[in-house]
Amino acid sequence: MKRIVGALLAALATLLIPSQAFAWGFYAHTVTADVAMENVTPETRAGIARLIRAAPQLGTPDCSLASLQDASVWPDCLRGEGWRWGYTFAWHYRTTRVCEDYNARANCSGGNCILAQIERNQRVLADETLPDNVRLEALAFLVHFIGDVHMPLHSGDHDDRGGNAIETAYGNAPGLNLHWIWDGPLAERAITSAPEPIVRRYSADERAELGGGSPADWGRESWQISRDFVYPNAFNRAACDGDLPDTAALTQEDIEAAAPVARQRVTQAGLRMARMLDEAFAPGPLPQAERAP
């Protein structure tokens, strides 16, 4: 009976959370795209609009691609056609155990990880000799993966599939998991509780402070946040002091402490996306120093 009641409460909690909060793929991703569009150059906006006209050539009528917002969630929509797009599913993450040294070159055989694919898709997007539909596909993967790499549990892991194996209560909502919480309700809480709008034109100083680094740097940041904040926040202890329990609970105090961390990752993702898009649509070669190893 207790198990049935718990399942019903979890289902009710899910219904009470707005549908847009179900994943970075449906809320935080689109906010990062909005931040990017507020901070790219007019030339980049025009280039994006031109490529989007090639969307029908991609042959994905069930996955809309009519704006940068759509592009930011398009790769997740493709999961409904695993027979066609399954080879891309490993591109959404590249995890390192939080109790091991971070190595950006590990766990990426054949370029099948998020760091390599951010670099590859920016290069494809920048290549004006390629057809528009090829560059549009690269645009969608690029903006989506920039969002994914900023979610800490796409980079940090504690032998728990990036928190997916840790049953976690979110305040009064039981039966969720740690990864899902950081993907969804916590991301929404972080954005909607921001003291000032996240989607806005940022100053040059703000862009310099928050928008720098390479994909490898961003992955390392996420891994370090997982180690130093996400796991300690969930378990009230250091991540690497032995095995962690299979269950956790985030109190309201834990959630309030985590919101600014998640908010900064969303903001950084949007500004870094703007920079990479401007680089791709600018004439001339891409800056070598900004590529991931």
Side-chain angles (χ1 to χ4, degrees), residues 144-169:
H144 182 84
F145 295 153
I146 292 173
D148 274 351
V149 80
H150 283 81
M151 204 288 263
L153 291 170
H154 278 258
S155 294
D157 175 73
H158 203 289
D159 292 327
D160 54 18
R161 295 186 294 118
N164 276 292
I166 300 174
E167 182 177 328
T168 307

Side-chain angles (χ1 to χ4, degrees), residues 264-286:
Q264 177 160 310
R265 296 308 279 167
V266 172
T267 305
Q268 288 173 318
L271 293 176
R272 290 162 171 175
M273 185 186 301
R275 176 171 61 79
M276 291 198 82
L277 291 174
D278 281 345
E279 290 172 356
F281 283 100
L286 292 173

Side-chain angles (χ1 to χ4, degrees), residues 200-215:
R200 60 182 173 84
R201 179 73 180 180
Y202 286 76
S203 69
D205 287 344
E206 289 173 316
R207 294 197 300 272
E209 178 185 358
L210 298 171
S214 70

Side-chain angles (χ1 to χ4, degrees), residues 179-247:
H179 188 108
W180 190 92
I181 286 169
W182 274 82
D183 256 351
L186 183 55
E188 181 179 7
R189 172 74 170 269
I191 294 166
T192 58
S193 66
E196 59 180 325
I198 288 179
V199 179
R200 60 182 173 84
R201 179 73 180 180
Y202 286 76
S203 69
D205 287 344
E206 289 173 316
R207 294 197 300 272
E209 178 185 358
L210 298 171
S214 70
D217 296 326
W218 311 337
R220 180 184 294 276
E221 290 170 355
S222 285
W223 167 83
Q224 187 167 351
I225 291 169
S226 294
R227 182 194 65 190
D228 297 344
F229 183 84
V230 175
Y231 286 105
N233 176 255
F235 294 102
N236 298 313
R237 48 167 282 195
C240 301
D241 287 349
D243 294 335
L244 295 176
D246 294 330
T247 61

Side-chain angles (χ1 to χ4, degrees), residues 36-50 201 278:
M37 285 298 283
E38 288 292 325
N39 289 277
V40 295
T41 66
E43 292 76 17
T44 295
R45 289 194 198 95
I48 291 169
R50 183 183 69 253
R201 179 73 180 180
D278 281 345

